[in-house]
Amino acid sequence: MYVGLVVSSSVSAPPSFVRLAGHPLRWRLLGELARSDRRVRELVSLVGQPQSLVSYHLGRLRAGRLVAARRSTFDARDAYYHLDLANCADALAATGLALHPGLRLAPVPAAAPESRRRVLFLCTGNSARSPTAEALLRQRADQVEVVSAGSHPKPLHPNTVRVLQTYGIELTGRAPRHLSVYERRRFDYVITLCDRVREVCPEFPGPAERLHWSIPDPAGPGGTDEDTYPAFERMATELETRIGFLLAAIGAAPARLSIQEV
């Protein structure tokens, strides 16, 4: 008499990252948001799917904490979606461990690019977000030439100086710059940090890659410097995270033609 054996398995259901990212459309949305923050209508155009379907899958990704959204400061009726890079990294690492202990992921240092790259950060006032991004990137990457500017420059915010001092960076006395200073220069990456400046950002010569990071103005409307300082800390933390992933992308990107100022 044949007796069937029941074989138990220790393999559990697929981790949430696999279930979420494994869907073709959601994977495509993650890929688009890995490059730049986007509005729903932009994602609809990029993936060629109906808005209702894109919104549904964005909702699934938000529920899984792989994607987050912020209300646009240019048009409050709109929102910018962005990839939660830190959560995605954690979820991907947990996925490897769930399959096999030998698949533990370790952070890989960003490789130095084969040629010097130029990065321009833009915001409205060039008083908080863009100078912070410029300073943090310069501190981490000698092989990247980085500058920043604003569409309506104003003096450096005291909290910008204060928060950067916690990173060992001194910016006291730095003068703001208008974006027109750089309109004739060539860049590899032009990164807008403000929803308003994204709408007025000029075209730059050469093959600059345009990226958008939708980051709120930490100064906000009103409030004392002491009241707004925590927002500056959050801004710097987010920029530090995004810059780390930017450097990984820069190091992995193929070398471009040498760029010269005109």
Side-chain angles (χ1 to χ4, degrees):
M1 175 177 169
Y2 174 78
V3 179
L5 296 177
V6 177
V7 180
S8 64
S9 173
S10 61
V11 177
S12 59
S16 61
F17 181 84
V18 174
R19 299 195 302 271
L20 285 169
H23 186 282
L25 179 54
R26 290 199 285 267
W27 182 254
R28 179 80 187 278
L29 291 170
L30 289 172
E32 295 296 345
L33 294 175
R35 289 191 59 254
S36 178
D37 297 4
R38 299 285 188 185
R39 293 169 287 197
V40 171
R41 63 177 178 272
E42 295 170 333
L43 291 168
V44 166
S45 177
L46 287 166
V47 303
Q49 296 294 330
Q51 181 170 329
S52 58
L53 188 62
V54 169
S55 295
Y56 167 76
H57 286 293
L58 284 173
R60 293 290 304 276
L61 292 170
R62 288 186 69 185
R65 298 178 62 241
L66 300 183
V67 164
R70 284 196 179 113
R71 190 61 54 187
S72 170
T73 55
F74 175 73
D75 183 348
R77 297 168 298 179
D78 219 340
Y80 275 96
Y81 288 82
H82 65 272
L83 193 67
D84 192 319
L85 294 163
N87 280 344
C88 282
D90 290 343
L92 187 57
T95 298
L97 282 177
L99 190 60
H100 191 283
L103 295 178
R104 180 186 299 275
L105 298 181
V108 178
E114 296 180 12
S115 60
R116 191 169 181 83
R117 304 299 172 86
R118 291 180 176 177
V119 176
L120 170 63
F121 287 111
L122 297 173
C123 68
T124 300
N126 193 219
S127 64
R129 288 164 288 187
S130 58
T132 300
E134 176 189 353
L136 291 173
L137 178 53
R138 178 176 292 114
Q139 183 186 56
R140 293 187 57 171
D142 293 338
Q143 73 276 18
V144 176
E145 181 181 336
V146 55
V147 292
S148 69
S151 58
H152 296 80
K154 56 186 179 181
L156 198 64
H157 197 286
N159 280 340
T160 302
V161 175
R162 182 180 171 191
V163 78
L164 284 173
Q165 286 172 342
T166 67
Y167 290 84
I169 301 171
E170 183 57 64
L171 278 193
T172 303
R174 177 194 178 278
R177 313 179 193 109
H178 193 275
L179 60 83
S180 61
V181 173
Y182 300 113
E183 281 184 346
R184 294 180 58 81
R185 287 185 58 180
R186 295 173 180 265
F187 293 94
D188 291 283
Y189 298 88
V190 174
I191 304 176
T192 50
L193 306 176
C194 165
D195 301 337
R196 294 182 183 278
V197 83
R198 187 193 188 205
E199 303 297 327
V200 299
C201 183
E203 291 295 328
F204 289 83
E209 184 169 357
R210 292 275 294 270
L211 308 178
H212 181 57
W213 300 351
S214 180
I215 296 178
D217 182 0
T224 66
D225 291 350
E226 198 61 36
D227 291 336
T228 60
Y229 184 70
F232 278 79
E233 291 181 307
R234 291 191 295 270
M235 171 203 69
T237 298
E238 179 171 350
L239 285 172
E240 176 78 355
T241 299
R242 290 200 187 223
I243 284 168
F245 284 93
L246 172 67
L247 285 172
I250 290 175
R256 297 178 180 174
L257 294 176
S258 175
I259 54 177
Q260 304 293 330
E261 293 186 26
V262 296

